[in-house]
Amino acid sequence: MTTTCLQIKNMCCDRCIEVVRNLLQEAGYNPVSVAIGEAAFVKDLSANDIENIRRKLKSKGFAIAEKSNEKVTVKIHAAICGYLGQISNKEPSLQKLSAYLSEKLHQSYYQLSRRFTETTGVTIEKYFICLRMEKAKELLMHDELSITEIAWQLGYSTQQIFSTQFKKETGKTPGEYRLNPIPKRIHWDKLLWQHFKQNA
């Protein structure tokens, strides 16, 4: 059985997965699976099919990754989202990000890092920090967790390390940001393809 996969940009969470799945089903395509950054089908897609899917996705702010480096970058983004989920769930024996990505995507970290930077203009490490900071902003704005709990949920060993990095990236301490949440949070689905300079 042949499986056709499309890499899809601007997906970042379970809600994105549900929206993409519904779009595809309403258009008459029944994906066998939809995950962050990817939809899989058990049939070949014609050029007309892909163009129709492209239009449907665009109506909700998504896009098909066309170029090779874009496709790899989408896979890296999806893997990093999964890695952050494992951090939040306190998965035992969690690898370093570089080892996790290499194992998950079956390429050396050097190759992945080079292609990611060529496409986005930012390193994987910097992007990972940015994702953590945007998640931190979200949690601070909700005001449900203490700063120590937020640091722990984002994988920082101490509140001090988290607070130092947060201030370096935003210009404010977490406490100051909670009182006055500016600069505003950038949603994950906008961060990669709209916030960072595109070189591809």
Side-chain angles (χ1 to χ4, degrees):
M1 183 181 295
T2 301
T3 301
T4 301
C5 292
L6 294 178
Q7 267 64 56
I8 301 173
K9 300 194 287 188
N10 301 334
M11 296 180 70
C12 65
C13 61
D14 290 343
R15 179 179 171 277
C16 293
I17 292 172
E18 190 63 25
V19 170
V20 168
R21 181 184 289 112
N22 289 340
L23 279 174
L24 294 171
Q25 289 175 342
E26 289 168 5
Y29 303 97
N30 293 305
V32 290
S33 66
V34 179
I36 292 175
E38 183 178 278
F41 308 83
V42 290
K43 67 172 186 176
D44 291 330
L45 297 174
S46 68
N48 285 339
D49 288 331
I50 292 174
E51 183 57 35
N52 188 35
I53 291 171
R54 182 183 289 109
R55 287 196 301 268
K56 294 292 184 182
L57 292 173
K58 186 178 180 180
S59 71
K60 295 295 184 180
F62 303 104
I64 296 174
E66 307 282 358
K67 300 177 182 178
S68 175
N69 274 7
E70 281 187 341
K71 293 176 181 179
V72 171
T73 296
V74 168
K75 291 179 180 180
I76 292 170
H77 164 74
I80 292 174
C81 288
Y83 185 81
L84 278 168
Q86 290 192 29
I87 287 176
S88 297
N89 293 331
K90 301 302 173 190
E91 294 287 339
S93 304
L94 185 61
Q95 301 164 292
K96 288 185 177 180
L97 177 62
S98 56
Y100 177 87
L101 291 177
S102 293
E103 182 176 304
K104 188 84 172 174
L105 301 178
H106 311 293
Q107 290 189 47
S108 73
Y109 185 71
Y110 171 78
Q111 291 174 313
L112 293 171
S113 182
R114 178 177 57 80
R115 297 182 74 175
F116 187 89
T117 301
E118 286 175 355
T119 305
T120 66
V122 68
T123 65
I124 289 175
E125 292 83 357
K126 177 64 175 177
Y127 182 60
F128 180 56
I129 290 170
C130 288
L131 286 179
R132 289 170 105 182
M133 293 299 100
E134 296 309 318
K135 184 63 177 179
K137 290 178 187 177
E138 177 188 353
L139 295 172
L140 288 166
M141 290 169 68
H142 286 171
D143 204 18
E144 295 174 355
L145 300 175
S146 69
I147 293 172
T148 298
E149 288 171 327
I150 291 171
W152 178 246
Q153 184 165 328
L154 293 175
Y156 291 92
S157 56
T158 69
Q159 177 185 328
Q160 183 59 45
I161 293 173
F162 164 63
S163 296
T164 298
Q165 185 161 76
F166 190 88
K167 184 167 185 179
K168 179 181 177 182
E169 297 298 323
T170 68
K172 292 183 176 181
T173 66
E176 290 169 342
Y177 188 86
R178 174 163 272 170
L179 293 173
N180 183 23
I182 297 173
K184 292 183 178 180
R185 174 184 169 230
I186 302 170
H187 290 273
W188 280 11
D189 59 340
K190 304 290 192 301
L191 188 63
L192 183 58
W193 301 105
Q194 297 181 33
H195 183 63
F196 291 125
K197 178 182 177 182
Q198 298 300 292
N199 295 325

